[in-house]
Amino acid sequence: MQSADEEDGMVVGLVVHSGHRERFAEAARTLTGASFAWAIYDREDQIRDRVGELLSTGDVDGLLLGLVPWSRARDLIPAGLPVSVTRSAALDLALAWARARGNGWPAAPVSIDTFAAETVDEVAAALDLDRGAIATMPFDPEQSLDEVVAFHRDRLARTSAPYVITVRTGVAAALDGRTAVLHALATPGTIRADLHELVLRIRRQRADEQRFAAAVFRPPGTGTTRAVLRGMLQEIPELADAWVEEHGSRGLVAFAPAAVFEKITHHWVRAPGPWHSRATDDRAEETERTGLVPADADRAAGAFAGFGIGPSARRSVALAEQAADRAEQDGSATAYLITDDGVMIGPMGAGGPPLTYTYRQHGGLEQLAGRAGLSPATLSRLAALERSLGGRPVSPGELADALGITDPSGRRLIRKLAEAGLAVADGSTQPHQKGRPARLYRLAITATLATGRSSAPNGGATDE
């Protein structure tokens, strides 16, 4: 692993094979405001160590890596770290076939690894190739290099093809130079697009973390226990600059950046009532300082808590109140977090049941998401977006901007929603005088959930 370049701004980690560093460096030259930390490997069995070394510095704001490094080291990557998995695209495969023809080789027969069968179908159809003479081995996370090499050797023995097309760096060496190998690696343009998308996600996450969120704390007792709780809150380092004040007749409200509450909820998960040990171990000191009996400190340490993250201060407090109500229903020192996109996380506390998350007010959302071929988190975000639109139709580009994804991904997502009956075409718009009009769609997720319909119109499901 090599250290990051000395620049201001974010640090992006790049996990690449030593033979591809120059390709990635070329793609990164146009990126400003970011420095790069390189995790370089020569063999696939080195990937986990290199990624572990890179992440151990704690300085990486995001990570770009290929399919193989992702499959080998995904369990090492911290939750919440922005990650982009770069992969060869249809254009990269088409360029590999162009090189084959430039060498005077026939387009088929040939064996191809890593590419999805749909991508091979698309390129073969565009180039008018005999699909039956093209063998494919799509990528599988459990796939070993030996299996890929065995696949190519088997096809070579059957067809005597003059070459193979691969994305795996070890294939050429494993074939001992007996067969020509064309690498269909991601072009600098493909890598550059992935890098720019990753940087946008990092910046968006930073902006989200600076949004102010709210917390509502409710001690089970009344009177003096609130004063003890307030003192405890003010002693938490993360809340040193937070605004803490009385909230109604039975609680306290705190405002701080969302990232602060992320740290606090992490502590709450590890130990219910994160200040309980201090309240019990320092009873004598607390009594001397405040004049309160130890029982007051114990009750304050066992407070219910609700955390809310929304688009405004008012909305954040409302969500925090709902979360605190939910914690109080449990009847123990637990906490919940509710976000504006419908996600509820909790109960938090090592002494309670395992931490879970659900989608509040969306009874059939998870089932609907599965049948539509989307993740529940994606569909929950879309449902929140639909509420904010108030019935206004959106273009695929607007949808992409709202979700922080690329325009092509936005178009694929809107097609998937339309196929599942979750979006309905509703006119078109032409924001510029030149260019094709963009079709508009009205989201219909809320109506579908309200009517209990949770399957696609054709009864099928699509893959995300």
Side-chain angles (χ1 to χ4, degrees):
M1 183 190 73
Q2 300 185 16
S3 60
D5 303 323
E6 293 297 327
E7 294 183 20
D8 294 331
M10 69 185 70
V11 178
V12 176
L14 301 175
V15 184
V16 301
H17 186 272
S18 58
H20 304 155
R21 173 164 181 165
E22 184 54 39
R23 181 182 297 248
F24 277 75
E26 178 185 348
R29 286 190 185 106
T30 61
L31 203 63
T32 59
S35 58
F36 302 95
W38 297 85
I40 308 297
Y41 64 93
D42 294 302
R43 304 186 314 273
E44 291 184 9
D45 60 6
Q46 298 174 331
I47 290 174
R48 287 184 62 83
D49 289 341
R50 299 294 185 268
V51 173
E53 291 169 8
L54 177 64
L55 295 175
S56 67
T57 65
D59 297 328
V60 177
D61 298 302
L63 200 62
L64 179 75
L65 67 176
L67 277 171
V68 174
W70 166 249
S71 66
R72 298 290 181 266
R74 61 186 304 176
D75 60 308
L76 302 179
I77 300 174
L81 181 70
V83 174
S84 184
V85 181
T86 190
R87 62 197 75 197
S88 298
L91 174 61
D92 306 315
L93 178 57
L95 290 174
W97 257 315
R99 291 197 298 273
R101 289 186 169 178
N103 292 335
W105 299 332
V110 68
S111 53
I112 303 172
D113 66 60
T114 305
F115 284 93
E118 294 81 3
T119 302
V120 177
D121 292 343
E122 176 187 347
V123 179
L127 299 179
D128 196 23
L129 304 180
D130 179 8
R131 184 63 178 87
I134 303 170
T136 61
M137 186 180 194
F139 179 77
D140 186 311
E142 305 300 323
Q143 203 173 70
S144 68
L145 182 62
D146 289 341
E147 290 175 304
V148 177
V149 173
F151 158 73
H152 285 300
R153 283 179 172 159
D154 176 68
R155 300 303 301 181
L156 288 168
R158 295 186 187 187
T159 65
S160 300
Y163 68 100
V164 302
I165 296 177
T166 183
V167 180
R168 304 291 285 267
T169 53
V171 169
L175 291 177
D176 301 323
R178 298 176 184 176
T179 302
V181 175
L182 293 181
H183 291 282
L185 302 173
T187 63
T190 299
I191 299 169
R192 188 177 299 115
D194 290 336
L195 268 175
H196 279 271
E197 182 175 356
L198 176 60
V199 168
L200 287 175
R201 290 174 56 198
I202 295 172
R203 288 173 177 162
R204 188 174 294 109
Q205 183 182 72
R206 285 182 171 183
D208 288 344
E209 289 176 349
Q210 292 307 310
R211 287 193 307 163
F212 270 70
V216 170
F217 300 92
R218 294 177 184 164
T222 58
T224 56
T225 58
R226 287 167 59 114
V228 176
L229 174 61
R230 184 165 187 161
M232 290 178 177
L233 292 174
Q234 291 172 341
E235 291 175 2
I236 299 174
E238 290 86 355
L239 292 180
D241 299 322
W243 176 41
V244 180
E245 72 165 26
E246 299 289 322
H247 184 64
S249 59
R250 58 192 186 100
L252 301 168
V253 64
F255 280 100
V260 168
F261 290 129
E262 181 178 338
K263 294 180 181 178
I264 294 178
T265 55
H266 174 72
H267 295 320
W268 203 294
V269 170
R270 295 174 63 87
W275 317 289
H276 182 76
S277 59
R278 175 162 189 169
T280 54
D281 294 342
D282 299 340
R283 287 168 182 252
E285 178 182 341
E286 186 70 20
T287 301
E288 180 180 353
R289 184 172 68 85
T290 65
L292 303 176
V293 295
D296 292 320
D298 284 341
R299 284 196 297 270
F304 311 111
F307 303 97
I309 302 177
S312 66
R314 183 185 299 273
R315 181 62 177 159
S316 295
V317 172
L319 294 171
E321 288 174 334
Q322 293 179 36
D325 288 342
R326 181 65 179 84
E328 203 163 5
Q329 290 174 13
D330 285 358
S332 60
T334 60
Y336 282 84
L337 181 146
I338 296 179
T339 65
D340 194 51
D341 58 3
V343 176
M344 180 168 66
I345 302 173
M348 303 177 192
L355 184 68
T356 61
Y357 70 91
T358 58
Y359 299 89
R360 61 189 178 87
Q361 300 174 355
H362 296 317
L365 188 142
E366 290 170 284
Q367 181 184 16
L368 178 61
R371 294 187 181 180
L374 297 170
S375 69
T378 296
L379 197 60
S380 181
R381 293 180 66 191
L382 288 166
L385 175 61
E386 180 185 357
R387 292 194 300 273
S388 69
L389 290 171
R392 180 177 67 83
V394 294
S395 68
E398 289 178 297
L399 186 71
D401 289 341
L403 297 180
I405 58 179
T406 62
D407 283 353
S409 296
R411 290 192 293 271
R412 288 194 295 269
L413 178 58
I414 206 75
R415 284 198 301 268
K416 187 174 296 184
L417 292 170
E419 291 170 359
L422 302 179
V424 180
D426 189 3
S428 62
T429 182
Q430 190 168 12
H432 306 290
Q433 292 183 351
K434 296 182 179 180
R436 298 173 57 187
R439 174 169 286 188
L440 297 176
Y441 293 84
R442 192 183 304 276
L443 298 180
I445 301 168
T446 303
T448 303
L449 289 167
T451 58
R453 293 183 291 112
S454 57
S455 60
N458 59 7
T462 57
D463 295 327
E464 186 176 12

